[in-house]
């Protein structure tokens, strides 16, 4: 009996994920896509329809007539995920459906230092407005290991906070807490087997994230990409320069030195630099050519905001949690 139950759960998961592109399928289509027998597929699809996870869109008749074959689609409104972005003096919430479509956006100004209670209260507000929320993905501008924020600048109330554990215990929903750059790199995960590097020039310092052979680099404790701790020169680190307002340091040299380090470490095909409003005329390629062969210089893209890719990565993490609980 135990084996039968496990097999049914695996078959159910296979069917849900097969329909996870939200296209329209007949039972025969799903059977072929999952390699499950038609009777097994039919029974599980009927169960998912009764649970309102899969909806019947219409029926259709083949060109030659005969019996009707019903069409089915995974209901993208069945459950929602909540993406939380924590910034200095501000909290943002984006509620999405299972197809990653935005259902709502809310921004809340926080006076003074952001606390755990501020985040909890903000999430409660979202859950009250959207009871379909079944997972939470939170992005933090600090180093995170197993859901614990062990290094963060500008957020005294979140230092050494096991935020992931706190959120899960409070709301009993699958939760993930990610460093902002580690969330951002997830947006590029399906881009093939490329090596891709991202540099974010933030208010409190630079951050980086990487794909190596198409997979995100995680590191053993979430400290990868904290290039701010590297020495800029014999007197100061990149982080210290940022905390001093980037004064008297050419951004071309600042970003260029980080880029040279990255190229020699993972030799990426692409380098994304954002935000770039501080010094729009900085030529990172030209700086790198002073030290590196032209053949190894990546294709460099300059962007003015990292939030679209950051949010895309958070959405991906939140939806993956969602599918884990419904499958």
């Amino acid at each position: 009996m135990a084996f039968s139950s496990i097999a049914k759960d695996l078959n159910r998961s296979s069917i849900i994920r097969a329909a996870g592109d939200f296209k329209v399928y007949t039972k025969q289509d799903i059977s072929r896509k999952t390699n499950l027998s038609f009777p097994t597929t039919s029974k599980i699809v009927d169960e998912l329809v009764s649970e309102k996870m899969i909806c019947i869109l219409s029926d259709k008749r083949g060109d030659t007539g005969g019996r009707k074959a019903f069409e089915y689609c995974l209901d993208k409104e069945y459950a929602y995920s909540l993406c939380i972005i924590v910034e200095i003096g501000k909290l943002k919430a984006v509620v999405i459906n299972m197809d990653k479509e935005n259902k709502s956006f809310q921004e809340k100004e926080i006076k003074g230092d952001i606390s755990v209670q501020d985040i909890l209260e903000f999430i409660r507000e979202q859950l009250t407005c959207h009871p379909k929320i079944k997972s939470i993905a939170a992005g933090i501008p600090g180093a995170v290991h197993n859901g614990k924020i062990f290094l963060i600048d500008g957020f005294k109330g979140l230092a050494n906070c096991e935020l992931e554990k706190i959120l899960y215990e409070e709301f009993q929903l699958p939760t993930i807490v990610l460093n902002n750059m580690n969330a951002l790199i997830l947006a590029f995960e399906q881009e093939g087997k490329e090596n891709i590097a991202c540099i974010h020039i933030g208010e409190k310092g630079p951050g980086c994230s990487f794909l190596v052979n198409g997979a995100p680099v995680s590191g053993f404790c979430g400290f990868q990409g904290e290039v701010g701790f590297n020495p800029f020169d014999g007197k100061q680190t990149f982080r210290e320069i940022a905390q001093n307002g980037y004064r008297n340091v050419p951004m071309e040299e600042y970003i260029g030195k980080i880029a040279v380090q990255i190229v020699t470490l993972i030799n990426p095909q692409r380098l994304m630099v954002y935000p770039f409003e501080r010094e729009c005329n900085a030529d990172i390629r030209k700086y790198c050519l002073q030290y590196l062969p032209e053949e190894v210089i990546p294709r460099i893209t300059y962007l003015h905001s990292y939030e679209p890719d950051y949010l895309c990565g958070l959405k991906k993490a939140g939806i993956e949690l969602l599918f884990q609980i419904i499958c």
Side-chain angles (χ1 to χ4, degrees):
M1 292 295 291
F3 176 79
S4 176
S5 177
I6 292 172
K8 181 178 180 180
D9 289 344
L10 291 174
N11 292 340
R12 173 189 169 97
S13 176
S14 179
I15 288 172
I16 293 171
R17 290 196 176 273
D21 56 7
F22 301 97
K23 293 180 180 179
V24 177
Y25 295 101
T26 64
K27 288 179 177 178
Q28 290 89 341
D29 294 331
I30 297 172
S31 176
R32 285 191 292 268
K33 191 172 182 181
T34 59
N35 292 318
L36 297 174
S37 69
F38 181 80
T40 296
T41 300
S42 180
K43 182 178 180 181
I44 294 175
V45 168
D46 287 344
E47 290 175 357
L48 293 172
V49 169
S50 68
E51 295 174 22
K52 302 187 186 307
M53 189 182 303
I54 283 181
C55 49
I56 303 176
L57 297 182
S58 65
D59 54 37
K60 66 177 184 180
R61 186 182 297 276
D63 294 337
T64 59
R67 296 180 60 187
K68 295 180 179 180
F70 285 94
E71 294 179 316
Y72 301 86
C73 180
L74 190 65
D75 186 359
K76 59 187 177 182
E77 304 298 327
Y78 177 76
Y80 294 166
S81 183
L82 171 62
C83 300
I84 295 289
I85 294 176
V86 179
E87 298 178 350
I88 292 178
K90 188 181 300 181
L91 294 172
K92 296 179 180 179
V94 179
V95 177
I96 59 174
N97 65 14
M98 291 173 62
D99 200 19
K100 302 185 184 125
E101 296 171 339
N102 290 359
K103 304 303 297 183
S104 77
F105 171 80
Q106 187 174 354
E107 186 174 303
K108 186 175 185 179
E109 300 287 337
I110 304 293
K111 293 183 179 180
D113 192 31
I114 291 178
S115 68
V116 173
Q117 289 303 316
D118 291 324
I119 297 174
L120 291 174
E121 181 181 340
F122 191 51
I123 292 175
R124 286 191 198 101
E125 293 171 3
Q126 310 312 310
L127 293 173
T128 299
C129 295
H130 301 281
K132 286 186 178 182
I133 291 172
K134 301 299 180 186
S135 71
I136 301 170
I140 303 291
V144 180
H145 179 50
N146 291 335
K148 179 180 179 180
I149 304 166
F150 68 89
L151 175 70
I152 191 165
D153 292 318
F155 296 84
K156 293 181 181 179
L158 301 180
N160 296 311
C161 170
E162 295 193 59
L163 186 60
E164 189 171 291
K165 180 180 178 182
I166 291 170
L167 297 185
Y168 176 76
E169 290 180 348
E170 178 68 23
F171 302 112
Q172 293 297 301
L173 294 175
T175 301
I176 188 168
V177 174
L178 294 168
N179 163 266
N180 54 354
M181 293 303 291
N182 289 345
L184 179 146
I185 199 65
L186 296 177
F188 300 94
E189 194 175 6
Q190 299 300 325
E191 299 264 337
K193 296 297 183 182
E194 285 186 301
N195 288 359
I196 300 175
C198 300
I199 301 174
H200 175 226
I201 306 304
E203 184 177 346
K204 295 295 181 178
C208 297
S209 54
F210 317 101
L211 284 186
V212 175
N213 295 328
V217 177
S218 58
F220 84 92
C221 69
F223 196 67
Q224 79 290 344
E226 296 291 346
V227 294
F229 287 85
N230 292 344
F232 177 81
D233 52 29
K235 299 178 181 178
Q236 53 191 341
T237 65
F238 288 92
R239 184 168 174 253
E240 289 169 339
I241 290 172
Q243 292 173 349
N244 287 326
Y246 296 93
R247 289 193 294 269
N248 303 318
V249 174
M251 291 306 294
E252 183 171 298
E253 181 182 9
Y254 186 90
I255 302 172
K257 283 188 173 183
I258 296 174
V260 168
Q261 293 176 24
I262 290 172
V263 171
T264 57
L265 286 173
I266 68 166
N267 192 200
Q269 287 102 324
R270 287 198 285 160
L271 177 63
M272 323 294 286
V273 181
Y274 40 147
F276 207 68
E277 58 266 18
R278 296 182 185 279
E279 185 80 22
C280 292
N281 296 321
D283 191 337
I284 308 307
R285 176 180 171 81
K286 181 179 178 181
Y287 182 89
C288 290
L289 283 170
Q290 298 178 67
Y291 304 97
L292 301 171
E294 184 174 4
E295 292 79 2
V296 307
I297 306 298
R299 186 167 78 254
I300 302 173
T301 303
Y302 307 104
L303 300 112
H304 289 281
S305 172
Y306 84 141
E307 190 164 302
D309 289 334
Y310 179 15
L311 180 57
C312 180
L314 276 181
K315 286 182 176 183
K316 189 173 181 180
I319 292 301
E320 182 55 35
L321 281 181
L322 208 53
F323 272 88
Q324 286 175 15
I325 63 171
I326 68 173
C327 284

